[in-house]
Amino acid sequence: GENVEQHPSTLSVQEGDSAVIKCTYSDSASNYFPWYKQELGKRPQLIIDIRSNVGEKKDQRIAVTLNKTAKHFSLHITETQPEDSAVYFCAASLIGNTGKLIFGQGTTLQVKP
Amino acid sequence: NAGVMQNPRHLVRRRGQEARLRCSPMKGHSHVYWYRQLPEEGLKFMVYLQKENIIDESGMPKERFSAEFPKEGPSILRIQQVVRGDSAAYFCASSPDIGEKLFFGSGTQLSVL
């Protein structure tokens, strides 16, 4: 089955700096890769996603890149703000199968003012 | 659209009791997924249901755990004879179709005394 590894487990940056979180997946058939943000005690919220027919996707300060050959994808947050502090999860799934998401272990991002 | 609704938000049970967790998907969503999250860990897939059918229960323990999604009413995750190790946050997510985005509820925090 699919396995998703996420690094780093914790990340601390200064406000205004960039943050990068990386994930690798094992099943080459996976074709959908969302990223979720979870604040303490809250629900995971989808912030951006990418499908395997696209190499990069951007939404304001957030971007995701996908390298299918290497089976890894990354989340990039530019001009970080304190409100970006949260736990970020990557996930992978195979569209057309059950649609279930396999999540990485999470990255705790702390943005220092 | 009220979003994915889960109740109760917090549930306290003594060892050996039963826990019932409810999830009402977003309007128009017929696909429901249950995930378990242990403290400072990622989201682990448990079960995927469509109306009246269990499609994938590969992540659910074979004993004491069951799930249903009846034609009318919410999806129910039932844990019989709870043990301390069942203490976790249980999240439900729904989507309108396979391969569509998953939206999460606020979760039920189960504490077993």
Side-chain angles (χ1 to χ4, degrees):
Chain A
E2 176 66 278
N3 184 51
V4 178
E5 297 287 332
Q6 183 172 346
H7 299 280
S9 56
T10 60
L11 180 59
S12 182
V13 300
Q14 287 294 136
E15 181 177 359
D17 287 351
S18 295
V20 180
I21 303 170
K22 298 181 179 181
C23 289
T24 59
Y25 59 99
S26 60
D27 188 349
S28 56
S30 289
N31 53 14
Y32 175 61
F33 308 93
W35 286 87
Y36 284 81
K37 175 184 179 182
Q38 186 178 30
E39 296 174 358
L40 191 63
K42 301 279 185 69
R43 73 183 75 194
Q45 290 198 301
L46 179 68
I47 56 172
I48 195 167
D49 58 5
I50 192 168
R51 296 179 188 252
S52 59
N53 57 345
V54 175
E56 183 175 358
K57 185 176 178 180
K58 193 172 181 180
D59 182 3
Q60 299 183 341
R61 296 186 297 108
I62 294 172
V64 57
T65 58
L66 171 65
N67 183 327
K68 282 207 68 180
T69 303
K71 289 190 286 186
H72 66 68
F73 56 113
S74 301
L75 178 71
H76 304 252
I77 306 174
T78 58
E79 301 171 24
T80 53
Q81 301 167 3
E83 51 265 39
D84 294 330
S85 297
V87 181
Y88 291 81
F89 292 98
C90 63
S93 81
L94 175 58
I95 297 174
N97 193 359
T98 64
K100 72 183 182 189
L101 296 176
I102 304 302
F103 283 87
Q105 300 89 331
T107 296
T108 300
L109 173 64
Q110 182 185 27
V111 180
K112 298 178 181 176
Chain B
N1 197 329
V4 180
M5 303 298 291
Q6 287 189 251
N7 65 82
R9 285 298 311 274
H10 301 276
L11 182 61
V12 180
R13 285 287 178 265
R14 296 192 180 279
R15 281 179 296 169
Q17 291 184 321
E18 178 179 288
R20 278 187 180 236
L21 288 62
R22 287 177 289 276
C23 168
S24 295
M26 289 178 72
K27 188 176 181 181
H29 289 197
S30 58
H31 300 251
V32 167
Y33 304 79
W34 285 93
Y35 285 82
R36 175 163 63 178
Q37 185 176 37
L38 293 170
E40 299 186 12
E41 290 192 12
L43 295 138
K44 302 294 185 187
F45 168 78
M46 298 182 72
V47 61
Y48 160 51
L49 311 99
Q50 294 179 25
K51 278 289 186 182
E52 299 185 274
N53 290 303
I54 296 175
I55 307 301
D56 182 346
E57 56 183 347
S58 58
M60 199 155 68
K62 295 288 186 285
E63 297 181 355
R64 302 188 299 108
F65 285 73
S66 63
E68 63 178 16
F69 189 15
K71 187 176 180 181
E72 301 291 337
S75 175
I76 305 287
L77 179 67
R78 183 180 175 204
I79 311 172
Q80 295 179 293
Q81 300 173 343
V82 295
V83 300
R84 290 222 172 102
D86 296 332
S87 296
Y90 291 83
F91 287 94
C92 166
S94 73
S95 71
D97 203 351
I98 292 178
E100 297 293 329
K101 301 175 198 294
L102 263 62
F103 295 90
F104 281 82
S106 297
T108 293
Q109 181 65 50
L110 173 65
S111 299
V112 179
L113 304 179

